Amino acid sequence: MCTSAGDATACLNNNPAGNEAGVLPECCAGLNNVDYSKMDFTPMKELLRLVNFHDPSFCIAVIAIIFNPLFWNVVARWEHHTCRLSRLFGSPYLACYCLGFVIILLNVYRSYSMTVAMKAQARWEVLDRTDVFYTGTAFIVVGTVLVVSSFLALGFTGTFLGDYFGILMEEKVTVFPFNIMENPMYWGSTANYLGLALIDSDMGIVYWSILIHGYRFVQRNPAYDPSHKIS
């Protein structure tokens, strides 16, 4: 392995016969240094072959997955800059409770639409195994623990964007599970949906990957400067 400029020169001088024109791969190129032509994409092709992308329930589930994090991120950003919801409801607490209730309903509908869509899709035989079922169950248990413990630690306003309404905690939350990871609520929700995907349908894996990108969008686009956030 090349670890320095001197090593790189030595590698180039000792170029094996099969390496064309002495081209030296970058030592730390990461995924850019992977030869994708030699990778076996058969499992992925088999998975996508079973997916019916024209099923209306599939489209509805995808829209719900994308809409939810986009909705609460946009509303939180809007509220932080305008305080319109707080003025409309006459109290930042009441506004936060109402928005939290709407988010809960949207998440319930998202879970329902994903379940309906997964039931309508064919199941990949690779996932039809006992060990996969127990793995999915384990993910759901761990995810539920993270979500519930996060909610108990933060409270309702802390969980449902209270800081965007100016409702800040007196001190940073450091109890479990915040003492072992950042964003345990997101990780717990992600684990729940991954477990559901493994138990229910291969289609769930596609939904799970979309869900991850939605959560990553929220984490990378806070409604305001993260340094202002208490918890």
Side-chain angles (χ1 to χ4, degrees), residues 10-162:
C11 289
L12 184 59
N13 292 337
N14 294 320
N15 174 54
N19 201 349
E20 297 181 3
V23 177
L24 182 67
E26 294 184 20
C27 300
C28 303
L31 293 178
N32 294 328
N33 201 26
V34 176
D35 186 357
Y36 292 99
S37 65
K38 297 182 179 179
M39 296 182 65
D40 183 11
F41 289 99
T42 302
M44 182 58 67
K45 291 179 181 178
E46 180 66 18
L47 171 62
L48 295 178
R49 185 183 64 81
L50 296 173
V51 177
N52 181 10
F53 292 100
H54 301 290
D55 183 9
S57 61
F58 166 79
C59 299
I60 293 174
V62 170
I63 292 173
I65 293 171
I66 296 175
F67 176 79
N68 282 19
L70 181 64
F71 168 78
W72 70 61
N73 189 63
V74 170
V75 172
R77 186 186 299 274
W78 176 66
E79 165 63 19
H80 174 70
H81 290 294
T82 67
C83 297
R84 292 287 182 84
L85 288 178
S86 295
R87 289 199 292 267
L88 176 64
F89 287 94
S91 165
Y93 284 90
L94 181 58
C96 181
Y97 290 139
C98 290
L99 179 59
F101 181 68
V102 171
I103 292 175
I104 291 174
L105 291 180
L106 287 173
N107 287 344
V108 170
Y109 180 76
R110 177 181 63 184
S111 299
Y112 169 77
S113 63
M114 289 176 62
T115 301
V116 171
M118 287 189 292
K119 295 295 185 182
Q121 298 284 341
R123 182 166 177 79
W124 195 16
E125 60 181 14
V126 174
L127 299 180
D128 196 15
R129 295 161 41 186
T130 303
D131 56 338
V132 173
F133 174 82
Y134 285 119
T135 300
T137 302
F139 273 115
I140 292 176
V141 171
V142 172
T144 301
V145 170
L146 290 176
V147 170
V148 173
S149 59
S150 296
F151 180 81
L152 293 176
L154 294 174
F156 190 93
T157 57
T159 300
F160 293 103
L161 310 170

Side-chain angles (χ1 to χ4, degrees), residues 139-200:
F139 273 115
I140 292 176
V141 171
V142 172
T144 301
V145 170
L146 290 176
V147 170
V148 173
S149 59
S150 296
F151 180 81
L152 293 176
L154 294 174
F156 190 93
T157 57
T159 300
F160 293 103
L161 310 170
D163 40 6
Y164 301 149
F165 291 83
I167 306 172
L168 303 179
M169 293 186 171
E170 296 181 357
E171 58 183 3
K172 184 176 181 179
V173 177
T174 57
V175 298
F176 179 85
F178 293 90
N179 59 345
I180 61 173
M181 66 173 63
E182 294 184 1
N183 303 312
M185 184 73 74
Y186 289 135
W187 284 113
S189 180
T190 301
N192 279 336
Y193 282 108
L194 176 57
L196 181 63
L198 293 176
I199 291 175
D200 254 356

